[in-house]
Amino acid sequence: MIVTHQDLLLRVNTQKNCIEYSKNDGKTWSKQGSVGSNGGDILDLLDNGSELLATTTKGLYYSKNQGKTFSKK
């Protein structure tokens, strides 16, 4: 799944359990961040306006900095 959030394309890399971003329409991807080792596996992403939401196996997390860091909701 790819989410457009502000000026970035974001996706979940399930193999690395992290969020990746692209600034060139998905041609290349780089690591953006993760929910941390206590956050569980990332299942889904949602653009919620001013924040990015991540559903994980351990709950709901949010990011106010385009997925660089997440906090538990």
Side-chain angles (χ1 to χ4, degrees), residues 5 17 25 48 64 69:
H5 181 69
N17 195 37
D25 296 322
N48 193 33
K64 294 205 177 253
T69 59

Side-chain angles (χ1 to χ4, degrees), residues 27-46:
K27 292 178 185 146
T28 59
W29 294 89
S30 300
K31 183 176 177 180
Q32 180 76 336
S34 69
V35 295
S37 58
N38 294 329
D41 295 330
I42 303 169
L43 304 172
D44 202 5
L45 281 179
L46 175 69

Side-chain angles (χ1 to χ4, degrees), residues 1-67:
M1 162 187 269
I2 296 176
V3 173
T4 302
H5 181 69
Q6 297 169 354
D7 63 336
L8 297 176
L9 291 180
L10 297 162
R11 72 177 182 185
V12 176
N13 181 324
T14 55
Q15 293 176 338
K16 296 180 181 177
N17 195 37
C18 70
I19 306 298
E20 295 179 331
Y21 74 94
S22 175
K23 289 187 175 182
N24 57 12
D25 296 322
K27 292 178 185 146
T28 59
W29 294 89
S30 300
K31 183 176 177 180
Q32 180 76 336
S34 69
V35 295
S37 58
N38 294 329
D41 295 330
I42 303 169
L43 304 172
D44 202 5
L45 281 179
L46 175 69
D47 178 2
N48 193 33
S50 64
E51 63 186 8
L52 184 66
L53 299 175
T55 304
T56 76
T57 54
K58 294 192 176 182
L60 184 63
Y61 287 77
Y62 72 95
S63 174
K64 294 205 177 253
N65 58 8
Q66 297 181 316

